[in-house]
Structures are given as C-alpha cells and as structure tokens.
Amino acid sequence: MASPKKRRRTPRQVVRGIRRRARRGAGRLRRVFWRSLQLRVVTSTMVISIVVVAVLGVFLMQQIQQSVLESRVRAAISEAQADRNAVLGFLTQPESETSEQAADPGEAAQRSGDSPLSQATEALAQRAGSASRYSVIIRNANLPGEFFGTTNIEPKSVPERVRAEVLKNEAGKNDSWFVPLYYADREEPVRGVVIGTRLDTTGAPQLVGDYEIYHLVPLDREEKMLASLQQMLIVVGSGLVLLLAAIASLVTRQVVIPVRLARQAAERLASGKLDERLKVRGEDDLARLAASFNEMAANLALKIHQLEELSQVQRQFVSDVSHELRTPLTTVRMAADLLYDAREDFDPMAARSAELMQNQLERFESMLADLLEISRYDAGAATLDVDSVDVRDVVLRAVADSEALAERHATRFDLRLPGEPCMAEMDSRRVERILRNLLFNAIEHGEGKDIVVTVGADRDAVAVAVRDHGVGLKPGEENMVFDRFWRADPSRARTIGGTGLGLAISREDAMLHGGWLQAWGTPGEGSQFRLSLPRTAGAELRGSPLPLVPPEVEMRRTWRGQHMTPVLSPASADGGRDEE
C-alpha cells in the first residue's frame, strides 16, 4: 500500500512556522531571564561593562591615533624643511658648475643634458633611501605636464586642490594633508600624508615660474601598528568584560543561593511542611534573614496548630450539639405532630400556632441535617457512592422536586437537554442535592422570571448551568456566595426559609466529585451557577463544556465593545468549553 503523499508547505506557511518558533523561543528566554536574579545581574553587568569598555577603548584609540599621526607629521615637516633647502640649492647653482663635475668628456656630455630638477630629485631619492620612508615630487606651475618624482611615485598622489592651496600660500610655508598615495609598482593606493611648500625663487632670476615641492609620507606602518593595537584593545576589553561577568556571577551567587534556599523553604512551608527550617550560617544580613524566617515559621506552625485545635473543638462541638439536639427534637416533633393533626379542634389562634410550630420544626430539622453534613465534611468522613448515571435523569428528578415551589412563585423552568444520553460516574444523591439547592436559590432570587436549565457534555466532562434573570450578583460576590451563612442582602427576607448552608454544602459535594461549582452574576441581568463534573470518577477536570457567562450576555458585551455585528464568543461558538 502506497503511503500518502506529503503535502508541501507554501513559503508563507514556512515563514509563519519560523515566526512561531522564534516567538516561542523568545518567550522561553524572557521567562528564564525574569525568573533568574543571577542571570539578570550578570547580564546587566556585562551590558554596562561592554558600554564602558567600548567608550574607553574608542577614546584611547583616538588619542593614540592622533598622537602617532601628529608625531609622524612633525617628523615629516622637519625633513621637508631640510629637503626644501637642498632643492633650492640645486636650482640656484649655475649650470656650468654642474657640467664641470664630470671627469671625462663623455660623462660631461651626458650630464650636461640633465636639468637641476632631475639632479635635485636624485639627491633627495638618495636621502630618502626607500619609498617606505618618504617620496618627493617637484613641479612647476609653468610646466603643467612635467614633474620630477622619486621611487615610482605617481603624480596623481598630489590632488589639484592641494596644489591650489600650496600656490596660494606664501613661499616657505609648510602645510600637510592626508591623501591616498599611488605608486607605479602597487595596485592599491596607500594612505599617507603630503607636506607641500612653495620655493622662494626671488634670489634666482634664471628660474622661471613657481616651483612646488611635495613630500609624500606613507602611513602604512603606522596603520599596521594602530590595527594591532586596536586588536589588542578588543582582546583585552573582551577579557575584562568576561572577568567582570565572572566576578558578578560569583558575587551574586553568594546572595542568590541563600535567597533561593529561602524561597524553596517558603514553598515547602506553604505546602504544609511546617517543620521546614533554614540553616543559619554567620552573622550577616542573610544569616539574620534565615533566623527571622525560622522564627516566623515556628510562630506560624504554632498558630496553625492552635487554629487546628480550635477548629477541631468547634467541629466537635457542632457535631455533638447536632447529635444531642436530635433526641429532644424527636420528642418535640412527636408532640408537635399531635398538635398539628388536631389543629382543627383548636381555636384559630391555637391552630395557627400549631402550624407555625410545625413549619419551624421542619426548618430546625433541615438545619440540623445540614450541620451534621458540614461536620462530616470538616471531619473528612464524607464518601461517595459512585454509579454510572444519565445526568439528564438527575436533572429531571431535581426539577420535579422543585416544581411545587416554582408554581408558588409563578416561575417556569426552561429545560435545554441534549438528545443523547450524558453518562457520568457520580453520586446521584449528592448531585441531585446540588441541583435542588441551585434551583431553590434561582427560584428565591429569580423574581418570578423563567429559569433556564442547560445540560452540556463533551468527551471528558459534563456540566449543568442554572440561569435566572433576577437581582443578580455584585462584583466580588461570585465567590462569597458559597460561604456558610452568607447573604447578599441581609435586609432581604427569605421566602423559602433556607438554612444558609445549601450552597456551601453544594460546593463541598462538587469538590468531593473532583468538579467545580462556579457562579456568575451581574446586577439587573441575573445570575448563573455552573456545575462541572468529570465523566470518570477520580479523573482530573481540565475544562467545562458550558460557558460560565451566558452566551447572550457575551453577545451584548461584544456588540457594545466593538460596535459591530454581534458574534458568539469563541468559548460559545466551539461548544462553550471553558478552562478554569
């Protein structure tokens, strides 16, 4: 069987994949950077060290370069002054004296054709020795195409702007310019400095025009020396930065390790290990911090132990009182039943008293039952009787138990159940009690409006949402509503006569299943309670198949916030799965 052909990715998809991986990598680096104090200190030290070393290195390099070039230019100017006098001597010497210096006639005839400029150039070439020291170019303004130079120097090494400046200066004045030098035996130009001066020919009337002499000094040796010095500065600066980073790492390590140990000890202390302590070494600030931490841990353990004992006493007291009250309550209940059954034979006042006593005894029995249930949760004695049931059947039974109360409050149930079975492993008695408490609460606070009961399920979880359109909840009350004996409005009279423990017990039942019981509410828009349970008993609940915020409310928020066509939120559009 041939394997399916792998689909080729487009360049845009490749670029998107690279961007996603880059963002993930950058996110990991940011998390590591902000979680490590030592890494931040070392990084900051390296950045500051690099900036300081770079600034100092550039400053020192500029100073050294300026000093080397200035010393080289001063030496070149002094040599140019001496060579200027030598050239002037050749130019002002009579031509007959030059020809008589030859011993035989043939040599004299040959030398007689040489000009004083060529003789001066040869003499300067011998004085310079080599082109690496300096070269000389002699020119005359009246002879544009003619020049005399030494050591293969090219005439274009002296730009026209330099010649113009030299001709404008007074005779004997030396100026310098940094220019590229061109040689006939080299392909690439060499950076150098040119020293230009104009000869004073006032004492030699036989000379025609202004003569210029240029000393061209190559700076390749100086550049090599400066390049080596720059490399040395970079190596030394890099070593210094690494050394400072190592020192910062060692110094911060001495501080970070005790802090890290304190953090780990605090985490273990927060997880319940009250005997966790730090080792105290020395007498510095970190040692005093460890001692203070140990003292705090000891005091905290003592307070927690005292609170546990007090809580245990309170739980035992509630349990004992609840059990002890059941015996006299049974006797009173029997007498009350007799009076209630015979109330028709009493006068109206006595009959009404018998009815009130019967109602209050029922409320008292309900409160005792809730207190006993709470005491079992506090003692950790509550257990589950798990069975695989259809959530829809549990919801229908809870709704049936609440129908009579809903009719008295002119309230109607709107059931939204899935068409397929929603099987889950749960204690149906406890879940049914949760739903009854939620329905009673919705009836009491729903102000006679319809109550929507929604059932949802996915592969891992099932959920039931009870939505009313009554007074709603204020910000922050969505968590307080599950506290024992808490009431949103103490001045509001109870219409059902609950004990104030129903939602607290419901939350304990949900947590016993490994599920969630959450509330949402907004003043004027009602409230919604959502029960989310895992399908398999003992499994971890990662999300809920129903949204906590009703979809219609989310649509209105989207409309008001974006001023566009209302759309369902992503949580509602894909089945409404919410994460905790």
Side-chain angles (χ1 to χ4, degrees):
M1 182 177 179
S3 59
K5 187 177 180 181
K6 187 176 181 180
R7 184 178 180 182
R8 297 186 61 184
R9 300 174 64 188
T10 63
R12 180 176 296 178
Q13 291 175 338
V14 173
V15 172
R16 289 178 180 174
I18 294 174
R19 288 178 178 175
R20 284 196 298 268
R21 287 191 291 271
R23 284 195 295 267
R24 292 196 200 101
R28 295 192 188 99
L29 289 177
R30 282 195 298 268
R31 287 193 295 271
V32 171
F33 179 79
W34 290 112
R35 288 180 180 179
S36 176
L37 175 62
Q38 185 177 6
L39 179 60
R40 292 204 303 273
V41 173
V42 172
T43 303
S44 303
T45 303
M46 287 190 66
V47 171
I48 296 174
S49 301
I50 290 173
V51 173
V52 173
V53 170
V55 172
L56 291 178
V58 171
F59 176 76
L60 290 176
M61 197 63 198
Q62 289 179 349
Q63 295 297 319
I64 294 173
Q65 183 177 5
Q66 184 178 359
S67 177
V68 169
L69 294 180
E70 286 181 354
S71 62
R72 189 69 180 93
V73 169
R74 286 196 298 269
I77 290 176
S78 62
E79 291 177 348
Q81 185 68 26
D83 292 343
R84 183 185 66 82
N85 296 330
V87 172
L88 189 58
F90 275 98
L91 294 178
T92 56
Q93 184 180 4
E95 188 175 345
S96 59
E97 294 181 5
T98 305
S99 59
E100 290 175 356
Q101 293 177 1
D104 64 22
E107 183 179 355
Q110 183 180 0
R111 296 289 301 274
S112 62
D114 292 343
S115 65
L117 283 178
S118 62
Q119 296 177 17
T121 304
E122 291 177 2
L124 294 180
Q126 293 178 359
R127 292 186 61 181
S130 64
S132 61
R133 185 178 177 189
Y134 66 87
S135 303
V136 178
I137 292 179
I138 303 175
R139 307 194 68 164
N140 192 325
N142 292 334
L143 303 174
E146 184 178 355
F147 81 99
F148 295 88
T150 64
T151 60
N152 297 325
I153 191 70
E154 295 286 343
K156 61 182 179 179
S157 300
V158 182
E160 291 299 325
R161 60 179 180 83
V162 174
R163 291 195 64 192
E165 293 291 335
V166 170
L167 291 176
K168 284 194 291 185
N169 292 336
E170 60 183 19
K173 182 180 178 181
N174 294 314
D175 280 339
S176 61
W177 296 267
F178 291 98
V179 296
L181 304 183
Y182 299 88
Y183 294 90
D185 55 350
R186 296 187 183 181
E187 296 181 358
E188 298 294 333
V190 179
R191 185 169 180 263
V193 61
V194 57
I195 310 297
T197 184
R198 186 165 60 87
L199 298 178
D200 186 7
T201 58
T202 55
Q206 72 275 17
L207 298 178
V208 179
D210 293 329
Y211 284 88
E212 312 136 45
I213 179 170
Y214 300 96
H215 279 70
L216 301 102
V217 182
L219 301 176
D220 50 353
R221 291 183 179 179
E222 287 76 9
E223 287 187 344
K224 291 180 180 179
M225 182 188 68
L226 293 174
S228 300
L229 182 61
Q230 185 176 3
Q231 293 178 357
M232 186 181 300
L233 287 176
I234 292 175
V235 172
V236 172
S238 302
L240 181 60
V241 170
L242 294 177
L243 180 61
L244 291 175
I247 294 174
S249 178
L250 292 175
V251 172
T252 54
R253 184 180 177 83
Q254 297 178 0
V255 178
V256 168
I257 289 181
V259 174
R260 188 175 299 163
L261 293 176
R263 176 185 61 82
Q264 295 172 355
E267 291 176 351
R268 289 191 291 269
L269 187 65
S271 64
K273 298 179 180 179
L274 301 179
D275 57 345
E276 187 67 29
R277 298 294 183 271
L278 291 175
K279 294 182 180 180
V280 180
R281 299 175 180 175
E283 299 180 356
D284 55 4
D285 293 336
L286 294 175
R288 290 197 293 271
L289 173 63
S292 300
F293 178 87
N294 293 339
E295 183 179 358
M296 177 196 69
N299 293 332
L300 183 62
L302 178 60
K303 294 296 183 184
I304 290 177
H305 181 67
Q306 293 175 351
L307 291 175
E308 286 179 348
E309 290 182 348
L310 179 60
S311 177
Q312 180 65 28
V313 171
Q314 290 177 344
R315 288 196 298 267
Q316 189 64 36
F317 174 76
V318 172
S319 178
D320 293 343
V321 169
S322 301
H323 281 91
E324 293 297 328
L325 287 177
R326 294 184 70 88
T327 300
L329 180 62
T330 303
T331 304
V332 174
R333 178 72 176 181
M334 294 173 60
D337 288 341
L338 292 175
L339 294 175
Y340 184 76
D341 293 339
R343 67 184 183 280
E344 295 180 357
D345 300 333
F346 301 154
D347 58 84
M349 292 295 295
R352 179 58 181 165
S353 299
E355 292 176 357
L356 290 176
M357 183 173 61
Q358 184 75 9
N359 293 334
Q360 294 303 316
L361 281 174
E362 291 178 355
R363 183 180 178 186
F364 192 23
E365 285 182 339
S366 177
M367 182 178 295
L368 280 180
D370 289 346
L371 287 174
L372 287 173
E373 188 71 18
I374 285 291
S375 65
R376 280 194 288 270
Y377 277 113
D378 292 339
T383 58
L384 290 177
D385 185 11
V386 177
D387 192 11
S388 180
V389 296
D390 190 349
V391 179
R392 299 178 302 172
D393 295 338
V394 179
V395 171
L396 291 175
R397 288 198 298 269
V399 170
D401 293 341
S402 307
E403 283 287 355
L405 182 63
E407 290 178 359
R408 289 200 299 269
H409 288 76
T411 301
R412 188 177 64 88
F413 291 118
D414 181 7
L415 301 182
R416 300 177 183 180
L417 307 180
E420 299 178 354
C422 299
M423 306 303 296
E425 297 178 357
M426 64 179 65
D427 188 337
S428 58
R429 180 183 65 86
R430 294 183 183 274
V431 174
E432 188 174 339
R433 180 169 61 187
I434 295 174
L435 297 178
R436 280 198 304 269
N437 286 329
L438 297 182
L439 292 173
F440 289 171
N441 184 75
I443 293 171
E444 182 175 2
H445 298 90
E447 297 183 340
K449 299 178 181 178
D450 291 352
I451 296 175
V452 181
V453 181
T454 307
V455 177
D458 59 14
R459 184 182 60 183
D460 302 320
V462 294
V464 181
V466 178
R467 169 84 161 99
D468 67 72
H469 300 81
V471 295
L473 296 174
K474 298 178 182 178
E477 292 182 350
E478 60 273 3
N479 294 321
M480 300 170 60
V481 72
F482 298 107
D483 293 342
R484 300 176 184 181
F485 302 107
W486 183 85
R487 297 179 65 182
D489 187 2
S491 62
R492 179 185 176 94
R494 291 185 183 271
T495 60
I496 297 178
T499 63
L501 296 173
L503 292 179
I505 295 176
S506 298
R507 184 178 62 175
E508 295 291 346
D509 284 334
M511 294 174 61
L512 191 62
H513 282 83
W516 309 331
L517 182 57
Q518 300 163 296
W520 166 90
T522 300
E525 293 189 2
S527 59
Q528 176 166 293
F529 288 78
R530 182 184 67 178
L531 172 65
S532 305
L533 301 174
R535 277 184 177 268
T536 305
E540 183 181 359
L541 186 62
R542 298 183 179 274
S544 178
L546 293 178
L548 181 59
V549 180
E552 66 274 10
V553 177
E554 191 68 28
M555 282 194 299
R556 286 197 296 270
R557 290 180 179 177
T558 305
W559 171 263
R560 295 168 184 170
Q562 300 182 2
H563 300 286
M564 57 185 295
T565 302
V567 296
L568 289 176
S569 64
S572 303
D574 62 358
R577 184 171 181 85
D578 271 5
E579 300 296 330
E580 185 182 28

